[in-house]
């Protein structure tokens, strides 16, 4: 193996679930012993804050020892209950399960309070591992390794902490390429039929997810792509095996900015070309993540994008609605790549924008009216 990977062994170590309150995740491995390899990186910054973990709990009812997990385990880090973040943030220590000469009793992930659907202590106590973790580990021949989700402060007999092979807005570490290629080789063998049957041109849209953000007018693009014979997929309705088969087997994929392309995080190098319809002006995190693995292009530059508030009225949310100030060059790029045919119809596009905005919902009539007025203002400026 290429020199460089680090695995830090800890003994008799306390860990606790994370509590996320923007911008920090507080918790993890006991602050007194938490190594650099356990930290959560995002570019050059750290977004976690280890805490001191008392070895006694239940002070109101009388102190008692923390529960103990016996055996030797791998530290997996926080477990995001979100498909895209799972691939971006939760898988890049799994390489330790493939490291030569090492065997483990299991892998440990830490639950996170403060993410979607896990808001209260009661939610935390009922938190579950996502099904796509099981699916992925089975595909990568890791299915026989037990997984434990930590929902309360716990002491672990032996905990090995691997450095992550990559992280958001970070390059892929040189040592990690060999593991990613190993994953890809396994998948290429297991998914050979899905890869061979993958459509050559695929559009992965999120018209069905507009309440969580998207591009206004995406329904127009989708209709035009369908008319041109492009396979328009709903990744959420497919197994992970089929999704990966499509990502590995297609010639070109157009996708709305979102989670659908993030399973590429488990791969090393693809010939598939990825073309993204962005919903935000700043897309460095997507471009860098994919371009390290496959050809990648943006179909709309940031200076041609305005963003409307999300359905709750927030202007700083990933759930905002992207508006292409001038959609014509976006359509032309789709045409150049063989995804649409025929002329662009601005009237039909504007009707689709308003329909998409209505489909995204709004918490109050006032927010809906404000967003619609903002869209009309952008269009009026374009006409002027």
């Amino acid at each position: 193996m290429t020199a460089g990977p680090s695995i830090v062994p800890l003994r008799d170590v306390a860990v606790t679930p994370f509590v996320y309150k923007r911008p920090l995740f507080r918790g993890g491995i006991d602050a007194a012993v938490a190594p650099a390899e356990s930290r959560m990186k995002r570019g050059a910054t750290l977004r976690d804050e280890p805490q001191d973990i008392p070895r006694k709990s239940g002070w109101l009812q009388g102190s008692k020892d923390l529960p103990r997990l016996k055996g030797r385990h791998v530290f997996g880090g926080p477990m995001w209950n979100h498909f895209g973040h799972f691939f971006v943030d939760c898988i890049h220590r799994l390489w330790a399960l493939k490291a030569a000469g090492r065997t483990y009793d299991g892998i440990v992930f830490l639950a996170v309070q403060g993410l979607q659907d896990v808001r209260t202590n009661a939610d935390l106590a009922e938190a579950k591992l996502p099904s796509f973790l099981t699916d992925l580990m089975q595909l990568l021949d890791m299915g026989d390794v037990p997984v434990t989700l930590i929902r309360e402060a716990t002491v672990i007999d032996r905990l090995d902490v691997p450095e992550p092979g990559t992280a958001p807005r970070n390059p892929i570490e040189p040592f990690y390429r060999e593991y990613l290629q190993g994953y890809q080789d396994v998948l290429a063998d297991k998914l050979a039929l899905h890869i061979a049957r993958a459509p050559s041109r695929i559009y992965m849209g999120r018209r069905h997810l507009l309440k969580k953000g998207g591009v206004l007018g995406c329904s127009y693009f989708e209709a035009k792509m369908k008319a041109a014979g492009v396979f328009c997929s709903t990744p959420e309705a497919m197994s992970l095996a089929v999704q990966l088969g499509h990502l590995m087997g297609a010639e070109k994929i157009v996708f709305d900015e979102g989670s659908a392309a993030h399973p590429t995080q488990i791969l090393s190098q693809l010939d598939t070309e990825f073309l993204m319809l962005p919903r935000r002006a700043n897309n460095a995190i997507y471009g860098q993540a994919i371009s390290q693995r496959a050809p990648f292009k943006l179909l709309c530059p940031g200076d041609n994008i305005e963003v409307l508030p999300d359905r709750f009225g927030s202007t700083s949310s990933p759930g905002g609605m992207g508006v292409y100030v001038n959609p014509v060059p976006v359509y032309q790029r789709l045409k150049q790549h063989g995804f649409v045919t025929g002329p662009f119809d601005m009237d039909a596009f504007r009707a689709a924008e308003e329909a998409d905005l209505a489909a995204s919902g709004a918490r109050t009539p006032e927010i809906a009216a404000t967003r619609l007025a903002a869209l009309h203002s952008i269009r009026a400026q374009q006409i002027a």
Side-chain angles (χ1 to χ4, degrees):
M1 289 290 177
T2 302
S6 174
I7 299 179
V8 178
L10 301 175
R11 290 180 177 270
D12 193 46
V13 60
V15 301
T16 189
F18 286 100
V19 176
Y20 175 61
K21 187 174 182 181
R22 191 182 298 268
L24 290 176
F25 291 74
R26 294 179 170 87
I29 296 175
D30 190 346
V33 296
E37 288 80 357
S38 71
R39 304 298 299 276
M40 296 173 62
K41 295 189 292 185
R42 185 181 179 90
T45 63
L46 295 172
R47 53 179 175 165
D48 66 321
E49 187 178 83
Q51 307 289 298
D52 294 327
I53 304 176
R55 286 303 184 102
K56 301 285 186 178
S57 65
W59 297 105
L60 294 179
Q61 295 80 29
S63 61
K64 60 181 181 181
D65 292 332
L66 294 179
R68 178 175 290 273
L69 181 62
K70 296 183 178 180
R72 184 185 183 190
H73 293 74
V74 174
F75 178 71
M79 176 50 67
W80 290 63
N81 56 348
H82 177 285
F83 184 80
H85 279 288
F86 166 77
F87 281 96
V88 171
D89 293 282
C90 302
I91 65 170
H92 298 305
R93 292 185 173 91
L94 294 179
W95 64 266
L97 298 176
K98 298 285 190 177
R102 294 178 182 270
T103 58
Y104 291 100
D105 296 302
I107 183 168
V108 165
F109 286 99
L110 309 183
V112 183
Q113 183 176 349
L115 299 179
Q116 62 178 13
D117 302 326
V118 184
R119 301 295 181 184
T120 67
N121 289 335
D123 293 338
L124 182 65
E126 297 297 322
K128 293 180 174 58
L129 291 164
S131 60
F132 34 81
L133 170 63
T134 301
D135 295 342
L136 180 64
M137 292 184 69
Q138 289 177 344
L139 285 171
L140 297 181
D141 294 332
M142 301 175 182
D144 58 343
V145 180
V147 182
T148 299
L149 182 64
I150 299 296
R151 304 178 184 86
E152 62 177 336
T154 302
V155 174
I156 303 175
D157 280 349
R158 299 177 65 187
L159 184 66
D160 280 8
V161 183
E163 66 172 298
T166 188
R169 301 184 184 180
N170 279 268
I172 296 172
E173 296 292 341
F175 84 86
Y176 193 42
R177 281 286 183 187
E178 296 181 46
Y179 288 98
L180 290 177
Q181 188 59 55
Y183 298 158
Q184 188 166 334
D185 290 344
V186 169
L187 293 172
D189 181 57
K190 285 191 172 185
L191 306 180
L193 189 59
H194 292 311
I195 294 169
R197 291 179 175 177
S200 62
R201 293 173 300 155
I202 297 174
Y203 170 56
M204 300 190 302
R206 54 182 288 121
R207 184 163 57 93
H208 57 296
L209 293 174
L210 288 177
K211 289 185 177 181
K212 297 182 179 181
V215 176
L216 296 183
C218 63
S219 57
Y220 176 83
F221 291 136
E222 182 174 350
K224 295 292 286 186
M225 284 190 264
K226 281 183 178 178
V230 173
F231 181 81
C232 297
S233 74
T234 303
E236 292 82 358
M238 299 177 175
S239 69
L240 182 58
V242 172
Q243 291 183 58
L244 286 164
H246 280 189
L247 294 174
M248 297 171 71
E251 179 182 334
K252 293 187 178 186
I253 294 176
V254 169
F255 70 102
D256 290 1
E257 178 187 338
S259 297
H262 281 322
T264 53
Q265 290 275 307
I266 204 68
L267 305 171
S268 178
Q269 203 69 48
L270 294 173
D271 294 327
T272 308
E273 184 174 16
F274 290 83
L275 310 165
M276 189 171 84
L277 290 165
R279 70 178 191 261
R280 292 173 284 193
N282 183 357
N283 292 285
I285 190 169
Y286 281 88
Q288 186 178 25
I290 297 176
S291 64
Q292 294 185 79
R293 297 169 168 85
F296 173 83
K297 291 186 179 71
L298 286 174
L299 292 171
C300 185
D303 59 7
N304 192 25
I305 302 172
E306 297 284 346
V307 181
L308 305 185
D310 71 7
R311 61 195 175 106
F312 301 105
S314 172
T315 57
S316 61
S317 163
M321 306 305 300
V323 179
Y324 294 158
V325 178
N326 183 1
V328 176
V330 181
Y331 186 84
Q332 292 302 326
R333 290 187 182 96
L334 286 169
K335 198 170 187 178
Q336 291 165 7
H337 286 281
F339 278 81
V340 297
T341 59
F344 179 76
D345 186 335
M346 187 63 190
D347 290 337
F349 183 79
R350 292 186 65 174
E353 283 186 314
E354 294 199 17
D356 292 343
L357 184 59
S360 73
R363 184 175 60 179
T364 67
E366 291 77 16
I367 292 173
T370 297
R371 297 206 299 171
L372 184 59
L375 175 60
H376 287 168
S377 176
I378 292 169
R379 288 288 160 248
Q381 293 172 24
Q382 183 198 26
I383 293 171

